[in-house]
């Protein structure tokens, strides 16, 4: 029997799925939403992704494919706003949403919201449209605060997350670790949480011959290249990667290439450049700026190693992308690293994340010239199961599970109300 097609509303209010990856609030979550929605659209489910107007130059509606649209709605001023400043405008957002769906005569089977701010709008839609609500947090305030790194998240966020965890119908965690954190910090009901890993676009992230990639990028073939890719948030631990480099000064021709950030003049960039000067390692570091995803594979392939030095990750897509390009990964014990890195074969997980231990792991890897690592082909094959197609299939199963449960509990509520009459 042919599967019924769903109408799905995705909320991603604070960050746009077509935004510039690698900048402040735009990273893995945006990739996730774009890739998942595209796969759902390929299976002929209809998806509208609602976000606020981040860039007044963007068209109000953008088609990602025949069945998937990104819809920009007004919430606060048009253009960049700090995440927390959006909270008071959530009612504007739901008001604009209501006008839009009334104008277009739309109806949805379910809401899938991302991050706590969208979760608030999701909670509104769940009551207003009488539909089940699935939620993904991507990061949780209490977990972020527990690292002691960066700005502390306000109580408002943590209290809202707690309420959302209690009210929504299903939560998707990207790892078992994230599920455990939700139970530990928020008392979440484990029955409500399904674990679905993230994916990688295996067509986009393919190995390129190292010599060719280096020539294309103008990199020296004799250098040992360590790569960092990601946003410049304090949680990413770029500071401790820079500190680790100070222990590797004696390594000949070692270079760290840092990709991402909001441009040379952004405060986070200035701070990292200042730190590398202060540590006396400026000559070993190259800040390459933000790179479009389509242009990233040669960087992964040209590198000997990707390092993920994070204090916390909810998953860590860049590790999957690097492995899909056949490049090993050294990572701290965060996110999905333990399920995507085959220890000693496709990379290493560093139990002690402090700079000397991180440096030791990088130094060992570089000096042994990854003698025990698998071939580029085998490294890529090790992550083949993490396709977005797999993620979409698993998500559709979760959508149906949630819808069926919702119908059954609605019936149960209706019959108990009838029994009371
Ligand atoms: N990214 C990019 N260009 C950059 C920096 C990052 O396209 O200059 C992408 C990268 O390919 C990855 C995402 O941003 O898909 C970062 O996701 P990850 O899960 O590693 O980190 P998050 O942003 O979720 O913390």
């Amino acid at each position: 029997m042919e599967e019924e097609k769903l109408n799905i509303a995705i909320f991603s209010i604070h960050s746009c799925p077509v935004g510039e990856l690698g900048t402040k609030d735009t990273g893995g979550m945006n990739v996730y939403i774009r890739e998942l929605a595209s796969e759902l659209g390929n299976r002929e489910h209809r998806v509208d992704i609602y976000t606020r107007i981040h860039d007044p130059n963007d068209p109000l509606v953008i088609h990602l494919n025949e069945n998937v649209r990104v819809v920009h709605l007004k919430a606060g001023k048009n253009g960049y706003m700090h995440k927390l400043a959006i909270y008071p405008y959530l009612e504007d957002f739901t008001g604009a949403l209501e006008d839009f769906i009334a104008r277009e005569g739309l109806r949805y089977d379910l809401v899938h919201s991302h991050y706590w701010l969208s979760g608030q709008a999701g909670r509104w839609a769940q009551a207003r449209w009488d539909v089940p609500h699935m939620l993904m947090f991507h990061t949780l305030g209490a977990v972020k605060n527990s690292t002691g790194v960066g700005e502390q998240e306000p109580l408002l966020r943590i209290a809202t997350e707690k309420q959302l965890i209690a009210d929504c119908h299903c939560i998707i965690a990207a790892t078992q670790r994230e599920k455990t954190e939700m139970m530990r910090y928020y008392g979440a009901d484990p029955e409500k949480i399904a674990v679905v890993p993230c994916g990688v676009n295996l067509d986009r992230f393919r190995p390129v011959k190292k010599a060719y990639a280096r020539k294309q990028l103008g990199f020296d073939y004799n250098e040992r290249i360590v790569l960092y890719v990601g946003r410049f948030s304090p949680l990413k631990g770029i500071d401790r990667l820079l500190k680790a480099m100070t222990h590797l000064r004696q390594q000949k021709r070692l270079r760290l290439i840092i990709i991402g950030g909001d441009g040379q003049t952004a405060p986070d960039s200035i701070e990292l450049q200042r730190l590398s000067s202060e540590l006396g390692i400026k000559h070993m570091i190259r800040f390459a700026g933000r790179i479009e995803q389509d242009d990233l594979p040669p960087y992964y392939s040209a590198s000997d190693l990707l390092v993920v030095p994070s204090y916390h990750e909810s998953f860590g897509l860049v590790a999957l992308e690097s492995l899909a390009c056949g490049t090993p990964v050294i990572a701290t014990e965060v996110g999905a690293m333990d399920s995507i890195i085959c220890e000693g074969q496709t990379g290493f997980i560093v139990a002690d994340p402090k700079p000397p231990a991180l440096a030791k792991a990088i130094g060992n890897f570089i000096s042994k010239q990854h003698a025990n690592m698998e071939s580029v082909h085998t490294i890529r094959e090790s992550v083949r199961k993490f396709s977005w197609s797999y993620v979409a299939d698993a998500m559709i199963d979760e959508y149906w599970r949630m819808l069926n449960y919702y119908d059954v509990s609605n019936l149960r509520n209706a019959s108990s109300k009838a029994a009371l009459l």
Side-chain angles (χ1 to χ4, degrees):
M1 202 181 73
E2 217 205 318
E3 189 193 57
E4 199 184 316
K5 301 302 171 194
L6 295 169
N7 289 313
I8 302 161
I10 292 184
F11 293 169
S12 174
I13 300 177
H14 85 282
S15 188
C16 182
V18 294
E20 294 190 326
L21 297 175
T23 57
K24 202 166 177 51
D25 291 328
T26 313
M29 186 184 96
N30 309 67
V31 174
Y32 189 98
I33 295 172
R34 216 177 53 198
E35 296 281 359
L36 170 67
S38 301
E39 289 286 342
L40 293 171
N42 292 343
R43 289 158 177 73
E44 290 179 23
H45 298 290
R46 282 220 51 254
V47 184
D48 286 329
I49 307 167
Y50 291 100
T51 187
R52 53 179 289 278
I53 301 173
H54 296 90
D55 180 347
N57 298 318
D58 274 346
L60 289 184
V61 176
I62 296 174
H63 284 260
L64 292 187
N65 70 29
E66 210 185 318
N67 297 313
V68 181
R69 305 186 293 180
V70 176
V71 182
H72 295 94
L73 299 175
K74 189 159 172 64
K77 71 166 190 195
N78 293 344
Y80 175 77
M81 279 174 81
H82 188 278
K83 283 183 280 199
L84 280 176
I86 297 170
Y87 186 84
Y89 296 101
L90 288 176
E91 269 184 37
D92 290 1
F93 180 86
T94 51
L97 173 63
E98 191 134 71
D99 290 348
F100 182 83
I101 65 164
R103 232 177 11 250
E104 299 232 336
L106 300 170
R107 183 198 65 78
Y108 295 103
D109 298 303
L110 64 97
V111 175
H112 186 169
S113 55
H114 297 263
Y115 199 67
W116 68 281
L117 290 166
S118 298
Q120 275 294 73
R123 183 205 271 151
W124 169 87
Q126 128 188 14
R128 181 80 179 170
W129 303 342
D130 188 12
V131 290
H133 178 204
M134 178 183 278
L135 189 51
M136 281 184 80
F137 285 100
H138 298 273
T139 57
L140 285 156
V143 178
K144 196 172 169 199
N145 284 351
S146 73
T147 64
V149 175
E151 284 165 34
Q152 286 287 293
E153 292 299 310
L155 275 176
L156 169 71
R157 173 174 178 180
I158 292 158
T160 307
E161 286 172 337
K162 197 159 190 175
Q163 192 66 52
L164 288 168
I165 284 172
D167 288 355
C168 73
H169 298 97
C170 174
I171 303 165
I172 301 292
T175 60
Q176 183 58 43
R177 189 196 305 273
E178 194 184 356
K179 177 172 177 174
T180 309
E181 286 166 347
M182 273 180 219
M183 290 155 59
R184 174 164 166 221
Y185 289 96
Y186 293 88
D189 171 3
E191 293 288 313
K192 222 188 232 190
I193 310 171
V195 178
V196 178
C198 298
V200 59
N201 186 326
L202 292 161
D203 294 328
R204 177 175 294 128
F205 293 100
R206 290 171 173 280
V208 180
K209 284 238 175 314
K210 182 167 279 168
Y212 179 76
R214 288 204 174 184
K215 191 161 178 228
Q216 191 187 345
L217 297 170
F219 293 173
D220 184 339
Y221 197 74
N222 297 311
E223 277 181 348
R224 309 310 269 140
I225 297 181
V226 174
L227 181 68
Y228 168 87
V229 180
R231 295 178 295 110
F232 282 10
S233 134
L235 273 189
K236 293 287 179 182
I238 308 176
D239 59 336
R240 59 186 181 192
L241 178 54
L242 292 178
K243 287 176 190 151
M245 293 300 283
T246 63
H247 299 270
L248 295 165
R249 280 203 195 91
Q250 73 291 358
Q251 291 270 351
K252 289 207 181 71
R253 293 175 173 267
L254 179 62
R255 185 171 294 280
L256 168 64
I257 295 183
I258 297 183
I259 290 178
D262 297 66
Q264 298 271 330
T265 54
D268 290 337
S269 262
I270 292 172
E271 175 50 25
L272 290 173
Q273 289 175 53
R274 189 203 59 74
L275 182 62
S276 47
S277 299
E278 186 187 299
L279 295 171
I281 50 164
K282 219 174 159 197
H283 61 288
M284 300 168 80
I285 319 290
R286 175 162 158 200
F287 288 92
R290 202 185 76 73
I291 306 281
E292 289 297 335
Q293 255 200 344
D294 281 339
D295 300 324
L296 280 177
Y299 284 89
Y300 285 122
S301 290
S303 303
D304 294 289
L305 173 67
L306 177 86
V307 178
V308 179
S310 307
Y311 294 88
H312 179 266
E313 285 288 338
S314 79
F315 189 86
L317 285 184
V318 291
L320 265 188
E321 293 166 3
S322 181
L323 296 170
C325 292
T327 301
V329 177
I330 287 188
T332 49
E333 227 171 350
V334 291
M337 298 305 140
D338 52 355
S339 59
I340 61 180
I341 295 174
C342 307
E343 185 69 17
Q345 291 169 301
T346 67
F348 294 96
I349 295 176
V350 200
D352 175 1
K354 290 192 222 42
L358 193 55
K360 196 167 168 209
I362 298 171
N364 280 344
F365 182 92
I366 295 292
S367 54
K368 286 186 191 146
Q369 308 202 339
H370 50 87
N372 298 323
M373 285 292 117
E374 294 289 357
S375 67
V376 165
H377 172 76
T378 311
I379 294 176
R380 174 176 168 80
E381 288 306 303
S382 74
V383 294
R384 193 171 276 287
K385 59 180 181 284
F386 292 95
S387 67
W388 288 111
S389 172
Y390 167 80
V391 176
D393 286 341
M395 199 61 76
I396 292 166
D397 285 350
E398 294 305 331
Y399 287 157
W400 279 114
R401 211 186 312 279
M402 175 174 78
L403 282 160
N404 291 335
Y405 176 77
Y406 188 74
D407 286 347
V408 169
S409 46
N410 274 356
L411 274 179
R412 215 183 286 133
N413 287 344
S415 59
S416 52
K417 266 188 206 147
L420 284 174
L421 289 174

